[in-house]
Amino acid sequence: MKRILHGRLIFGLLFLFLALGSFADGRYIPVYEDGIRVDYKYYCLGFNKEHKQANWVYYELGAANLTGKASRKNDFRVDPKISRWSATPDDYKRSGYDRGHLCPAADMSFNAQAMSETFYMSNMSPQVPMFNRGIWKELEEHVRNRARKEKLYVVTGPIFKSNKGTIGKGKVTVPGYYYKLFYSPSKQQMIAYVLPNEESKRSLNSFAVPVDKVEKMTGIDFFSQLPDDLERVLEADTLSHVSRDGGQASKSSYRPTRNQQIIAVVAVVVIFLVVHFLLKRRGGKKKKKKPARKPVKKKK
């Protein structure tokens, strides 16, 4: 009976540990009241019906995402989940602008479905060709290089300020700026970039800005799921000194969240119970020594 209770207790605690761990590692989806959230298997976005493109796209990026060999099919198509408002490939024809990926196809090269889903028109934004193929491409490659060393949470989107008009029958807005930011849990570092939608020869680091600035420009709350003190410190740090290899981590006082504290306690309890159970089981299996036989007295 005791063994059954031990087993159930351990199973229950392990289940709680895994559930809380999954929640604690949950996604940092941006908070933004306006727009339609659209979920795909490997990334999600907040779609803006007025501008016919996403306000933001969000996804996790790590070394595992970049090891696949899915081939690029260029299957640009209307997003079936929001077909009523989605831009079409025809909107971009002869417009003079590239169909710029917000979630890059190269970031989803680990399988065919992930790659294909990046070609929905909801993930496109009109970009100046030399911007898309120049400094923007350089930024995307920089983020991938970081992700090969550490897991990142990435958010990308347009900034609808100083817009360059619209294109196509669908009147797709041509944004004046774009942002890309990412959070590195392992280094407790948050880095943001804001770039004008134009060709540039400037260094990538010159576009680094505090995340706070991007929030003010877009009205989007990024990484609000982090502890308030940590979020406040990281989002106020410009980190313009960050080099291409990641630079130094931002110095901040990190305090574990309540879920992380619970997980740590549960983990200790589980380990203790498992060790206790195994030791007790091992002790029970030891053969008991047979009592020494008493010498038989011979009858006289």
Side-chain angles (χ1 to χ4, degrees):
M1 184 66 179
K2 287 184 178 180
R3 288 184 179 180
I4 294 174
L5 290 175
H6 269 291
R8 288 180 177 176
L9 181 59
I10 291 171
F11 177 79
L13 287 171
L14 282 172
F15 177 81
L16 179 63
F17 173 74
L18 292 172
L20 287 173
S22 175
F23 179 79
D25 292 335
R27 302 184 299 177
Y28 300 102
I29 295 174
V31 176
Y32 188 59
E33 295 181 358
D34 189 21
I36 304 171
R37 177 173 155 183
V38 185
D39 293 318
Y40 305 104
K41 190 168 183 179
Y42 300 104
Y43 78 99
C44 63
L45 59 82
F47 189 76
N48 189 311
K49 294 187 291 184
E50 177 186 354
H51 297 294
K52 304 293 177 24
Q53 59 199 280
N55 289 312
W56 53 264
V57 300
Y58 165 86
Y59 57 98
E60 299 175 18
L61 187 63
N65 301 70
L66 305 171
T67 56
K69 297 181 180 179
S71 58
R72 179 174 174 136
K73 303 293 185 182
N74 287 338
D75 52 339
F76 295 95
R77 60 200 187 278
V78 170
D79 189 333
K81 293 187 177 183
I82 46 172
S83 57
R84 180 179 174 184
W85 303 285
S86 176
T88 69
D90 287 341
D91 286 323
Y92 285 76
K93 285 184 178 179
R94 294 181 291 278
S95 68
Y97 291 95
D98 281 358
R99 295 165 293 194
H101 281 72
L102 296 176
C103 175
D107 288 6
M108 297 287 157
S109 61
F110 54 93
N111 72 44
Q113 180 183 353
M115 170 75 76
S116 178
E117 287 182 341
T118 67
F119 285 89
Y120 287 133
M121 295 305 297
S122 55
N123 185 45
M124 302 300 145
S125 184
Q127 294 184 335
V128 171
M130 294 310 294
F131 167 76
N132 181 39
R133 306 168 200 179
I135 190 69
W136 187 249
K137 181 180 179 181
E138 182 182 342
L139 176 56
E140 291 176 337
E141 290 174 347
H142 169 64
V143 175
R144 281 193 288 273
N145 287 335
R146 282 287 301 260
R148 289 185 176 94
K149 304 172 186 176
E150 59 195 294
K151 184 177 182 179
L152 303 177
Y153 295 91
V154 185
V155 188
T156 306
I159 299 176
F160 300 113
K161 295 185 182 297
S162 302
N163 297 333
K164 301 176 181 291
T166 62
I167 60 171
K169 292 182 179 180
K171 297 188 181 301
V172 182
T173 302
V174 181
Y177 296 86
Y178 289 92
Y179 69 87
K180 185 180 287 288
L181 52 93
F182 60 84
Y183 168 55
S184 167
S186 63
K187 290 189 176 181
Q188 290 301 315
Q189 191 178 67
M190 198 178 289
I191 305 175
Y193 299 87
V194 171
L195 301 85
N197 187 9
E198 61 188 26
E199 182 181 6
S200 178
K201 300 296 183 183
R202 289 167 52 187
S203 69
L204 190 57
N205 286 342
S206 68
F207 294 105
V209 299
V211 173
D212 279 342
K213 181 175 180 178
V214 184
E215 290 184 330
K216 290 176 182 177
M217 295 179 77
T218 61
I220 302 172
D221 189 3
F222 301 107
F223 304 110
S224 60
Q225 298 85 351
L226 290 171
D228 290 340
D229 56 346
L230 177 62
E231 182 188 7
R232 187 164 49 251
V233 171
L234 295 183
E235 290 188 351
D237 192 351
T238 304
L239 287 174
S240 57
H241 63 280
V242 174
S243 62
R244 291 183 185 277
D245 61 357
Q248 297 177 348
S250 175
K251 295 180 180 178
S252 61
S253 56
Y254 174 64
R255 184 177 62 193
T257 64
R258 180 173 177 78
N259 279 332
Q260 290 170 335
Q261 292 171 353
I262 293 173
I263 289 169
V265 172
V266 171
V268 172
V269 173
V270 169
I271 292 171
F272 172 78
L273 288 174
V274 169
V275 172
H276 175 72
F277 175 73
L278 292 175
L279 289 175
K280 192 171 182 180
R281 186 178 180 184
R282 183 181 177 185
K285 286 185 176 181
K286 287 183 177 179
K287 293 182 179 180
K288 295 181 180 180
K289 293 182 178 179
K290 293 182 179 180
R293 291 183 179 180
K294 294 181 180 180
V296 180
K297 293 182 179 181
K298 294 182 179 181
K299 293 181 180 180
K300 292 182 179 179

